[in-house]
Amino acid sequence: MAEGASFLKAVELRLLRCSLFHPPSPPPPVAHPLIESLVDSIEQGRYADVLCSSEATQLLVGFADSWEFDESTEGASWFYDEVERSIDRFLRRDSEAWLQVLNDGGGDDSDVEFRYALVMCLGVAALLAFTQQNVTGPVGNYSPFPVLIRGKDWPVNGETQWDVWAQNQLTSIGCGLLGKFSLLQYIIYAKILLSKLWDLSKAGMDTGIIGCRTTSWWLCRLTLLQQRILDELSSSLYGLLKIFRDETLLHFGKSENIMDYWGSMSCNEEASMITSMAYLEAAILEYKYGRVDNSRSYLDSAEKACGLHLFLTGALGFRTTHQVDAKAQMILISETDHQNQGSGSPIDSSQAQVNGHASDNNGDPNTNGHHDCSDILRRPRLVENDKDDQVSNVSRNVALTAMQQAVVLAQCLHLKRRSREDELSRWEMAPYIEAIDAQQQSCFTIRNFCDLLRIGWESTRSRTKQRALLMMDKVVEGVKADSPVVAKRIQFSYGVYVPAIPALRKEYGEILVSCGLIGEALKIFEDLELWDNLIYCYRLLDKKAAAVDLINARLLVMPTEPKLWCSLGDVTNNDAYYEKALEVSDNKSVRAKRSLARSAYNRKDYETSKILWEAAMAQNSFYPEGWFALGFAALKAGDYEKALDGFTQTVLFDPDNGDAWNNIACFFIC
C-alpha cells in the first residue's frame, strides 16, 4: 500500500508541476506503463492523446462502444449520467476491465491507487485542454466530444446539440456565458471525473488511500474557470470555491506540509513555490468576488512564501522622450530573500524554464520597440545617483522568479478592487507593471498579463491610446500563434488573471469602439455572439433595425437561446420577449426576471416587481444592484421588512453605496 500511495503522489506532483514549471531535475518515476504514458503526454501538452487513449477509455467508459447515440440534448444527458455511473463503478472496484490492468503492474493492494491516478490524469487532461482552447491558446483541432468512441465520427471544432446541452449545464445556475466558448463538454467531463474522485476520497471509502490531496486544488481551478467564463458572479459557485480553497490551503498552505507529503520527491524551493501559488490563487479567487480584505491577506501570504518584499519609493526621472527636466517618479523596489541582481544572471529552476521573451523595450526604456507611436516611455528613465542605493538597485533590475513576477502583478488586482476606477488608481498600478516590464525573462502567460494591465491603463489616456490598440492587436495575434508550445503556455495560467480568449477579444472590440473603429468591432462581437455589445454598436450607427434583423436571424438557428430573446426584448422594449426567454430556459433566466422586474416597477406595479426581484436574487444573490432594486420595490409596496433586508444586503456587497446606507438610517430613525 505504501508503494502504491507513493506512486499516486508522484503522479499528483508531476501533474501539478505542469501548471507551475518543469524543473531540470528528473520527474518522480511512475511504475505503471499506462499511467506513465498519460502523465508524459500531459507534461508535453498533448492532451488529446490522453483523452483519446483507447485503453484508458475502455477502462472508464467501455459501455460507449455499444451505446445507441442520440445526438439530441436528451441523448447527451443520458450519456453523461451513464459516464458518471461508470466512473463510480470503476473507482469502487466494480469494473471487470480493470482486472486486465492488474497483470501489468500492481496487485490487489495497489489497484486503488492506480485507478485513482487514471481518473485524475483524464480529469486534468480535460481541464487543461479546455484551458488551452479558451484561455492560453493556441487553438487546437479537438473533437467537441472528450471521449474516444470507436466507430463514431464527430465534427472537429464544430458545434453539436451536445454542446448546447453542456452550455445549459454551465448556465443552469442563472448566469450566461461571457461569449462563445468551445469544448464545453470537456469542462463538464473534467468536473465529473474530479468530483467523483474527490467525493470518494472525502468519504474515506478506502482507508488506506493517503494521496489525492491535489484533487481539491484542481477542482478549485475548474470551478473558478467556470466562473470566469460566465457573465455574472454566481453565489452557488462561490460556496463550492470556498470549500475547495480551504481544503487546498489546509494541505498546501505550509511548506512543511508539502515536504511531509511528497518527501524526497520535492525540494524546499519547490515547496515554497507551491505554497505561494496556493495563496496566490486564493487571492485571485477573492478578487474575482470583490472580497478585498481576504484577497489582501492571501496576497501577503503568497508574497511571504516566495521570499519577496515590495515597497514603493520615489526617484527623479523622465516620463517622455522630449522631457527636459527630471520629475519625481513612483517606482517599485523589489527585494528577495536570495537577492539576485543583474538582468543576465540565472534565477532559479523555475526561471530556467521561462521563455526568453522580453518586452520590446527591455534594453532601453527610451525605446518603444514596435509600439513607437507615442512619445510616452513605457517605463521612466531614472536619473542615476550613485549615492542612492535604492535607485541603483532599480537601475540594475533585480531578477525575479516567475512566481515572484506573478505575485507582483497580482498587486495590481488588489489596487483595482481597493479603490474606485480613476486616473489615480491607474497610476498606482504603474510601478508594478513597469517592474515586470523591465524583467529580461518572463513566462508567456505572465508577459501577456503584464501587457494587458498596461493596455487597460494606457487605453484611457489620449497620448497612449493608439499604442494600447497596437499592443492589444499583438496580444490577440500572439494567442493564435503556434509559439510558444502549449506546455509553456499552461505554466502559471492559473496564477495570473488572464482573461479567456472570448473575453480578450471582447476587450479588443471595446477598445476599437473607443477609437471609433465600430465596423471592425461589429465583426468581433458578432463572431463572439455578444448581442448586447452588437446592439450598442448598431445604436451608435443609428441602425437599430439592423440589430433586430440580426437577432431574429439568429433565433431561427437557435430558438431556445434565452440570451437572444432577452436582447430582442432590450432593443424592442417588449416584455413578451422576456417571458419567452423564461419559457425556453425553463424559468431559469435570471436576466429575464430582472428585466421583467424593472418593467413592472416602471409600470408602478411594485408588488409584482418585488416578487420578481426576490425570485431573481434567490437564484443568484451576487448582484448588488438587484438587492437595492428589491429594497426599493419592497419599500414602494409597503413591505418594510423586506426593504430593510434588501438595503442591508446591498451594503454588504457594496459598502460605498451611500443611498443604501441613507435608506437604512431612515428606517431606524422612523
Side-chain angles (χ1 to χ4, degrees), residues 297-319:
S297 176
Y298 290 133
L299 201 54
D300 290 341
S301 298
E303 188 177 320
K304 180 180 179 181
C306 68
L308 183 64
H309 310 282
L310 303 172
F311 59 94
L312 296 171
T313 187
L316 291 176
F318 301 89
R319 179 63 64 173

Side-chain angles (χ1 to χ4, degrees), residues 194 241 317 365 477 561 612 630 662:
L194 296 173
L241 282 166
E477 291 301 319
E561 176 55 58
L612 287 168
L630 170 60
N662 180 72

Side-chain angles (χ1 to χ4, degrees), residues 88 91-92 116 195-205:
D88 186 73
L91 290 174
R92 292 180 184 275
Y116 275 52
S195 296
K196 185 61 64 176
L197 189 61
W198 184 74
D199 289 341
L200 295 181
S201 299
K202 291 290 290 183
M205 180 194 67

Side-chain angles (χ1 to χ4, degrees), residues 20 164 190 203 219 242 244 295 319 440 512 559 561 567 646 661:
L20 300 176
V164 175
L219 278 171
K242 288 193 294 185
F244 298 141
S295 179
R319 179 63 64 173
Q440 293 298 314
L512 288 172
E561 176 55 58
S567 296
W661 281 114

Side-chain angles (χ1 to χ4, degrees), residues 25 51 235 277 295 334 339 342 344 355 401 404 460 469 539 624 638:
S25 58
L51 298 170
S235 52
M277 180 62 78
S295 179
S334 305
Q339 194 73 283
N355 303 312
T401 67
Q404 292 167 344
T460 61
L469 178 61
R539 282 177 172 170

Side-chain angles (χ1 to χ4, degrees), residues 312-363:
L312 296 171
T313 187
L316 291 176
F318 301 89
R319 179 63 64 173
T320 70
T321 56
H322 306 297
Q323 187 175 338
V324 177
D325 299 323
K327 304 292 185 182
Q329 307 292 335
M330 186 184 300
I331 56 176
L332 180 71
I333 302 297
S334 305
E335 295 181 353
T336 63
D337 289 345
H338 302 286
Q339 194 73 283
N340 187 355
Q341 298 176 347
S343 59
S345 50
I347 301 175
D348 66 2
S349 57
S350 67
Q351 190 65 46
Q353 293 296 321
V354 302
N355 303 312
H357 180 184
S359 62
D360 296 327
N361 67 321
N362 276 340

Side-chain angles (χ1 to χ4, degrees), residues 114-313:
F114 284 113
R115 286 185 279 121
Y116 275 52
L118 179 62
V119 172
M120 176 170 282
C121 286
L122 291 175
V124 170
L127 174 59
L128 295 181
F130 182 86
T131 303
Q132 173 199 343
Q133 198 79 348
N134 294 284
V135 181
T136 65
V139 176
N141 293 323
Y142 285 97
S143 166
F145 196 59
V147 180
L148 173 66
I149 304 299
R150 286 173 288 190
K152 182 65 179 177
D153 295 328
W154 296 88
V156 175
N157 289 342
E159 185 172 317
T160 68
Q161 284 298 306
W162 287 36
D163 292 316
V164 175
W165 170 85
Q167 177 176 335
N168 293 337
Q169 293 296 304
L170 294 172
T171 59
S172 62
I173 55 179
C175 304
L177 291 179
L178 190 61
K180 186 177 181 180
F181 292 86
S182 58
L183 303 188
L184 294 179
Q185 292 183 61
Y186 282 59
I187 197 170
I188 298 292
Y189 184 57
K191 179 181 284 190
I192 292 174
L193 290 165
L194 296 173
S195 296
K196 185 61 64 176
L197 189 61
W198 184 74
D199 289 341
L200 295 181
S201 299
K202 291 290 290 183
M205 180 194 67
D206 298 291
T207 56
I209 195 77
I210 57 175
C212 282
R213 286 186 180 180
T214 57
T215 307
S216 58
W217 198 342
W218 286 109
L219 278 171
C220 188
R221 290 172 167 179
L222 185 151
T223 309
L224 183 57
L225 184 58
Q226 180 182 351
Q227 174 61 84
R228 288 170 57 186
I229 68 175
L230 298 178
D231 57 3
E232 292 183 4
L233 297 176
S234 167
S235 52
S236 59
L237 289 182
Y238 185 59
L240 288 174
L241 282 166
K242 288 193 294 185
I243 295 173
F244 298 141
R245 177 205 63 199
D246 292 344
E247 185 172 328
T248 299
L249 294 179
L250 176 65
H251 294 315
F252 305 104
K254 295 181 179 179
S255 298
E256 297 81 7
N257 295 346
I258 296 171
M259 294 300 296
D260 291 341
Y261 186 60
W262 276 303
S264 60
M265 287 186 283
S266 63
C267 59
N268 288 327
E269 291 76 12
E270 184 175 33
S272 64
M273 167 171 279
I274 292 174
T275 299
S276 184
M277 180 62 78
Y279 280 114
L280 180 58
E281 292 184 27
I284 293 174
L285 187 161
E286 296 296 341
Y287 159 79
K288 178 64 178 177
Y289 285 89
R291 301 296 199 261
V292 179
D293 293 337
N294 291 345
S295 179
R296 176 73 267 171
S297 176
Y298 290 133
L299 201 54
D300 290 341
S301 298
E303 188 177 320
K304 180 180 179 181
C306 68
L308 183 64
H309 310 282
L310 303 172
F311 59 94
L312 296 171
T313 187

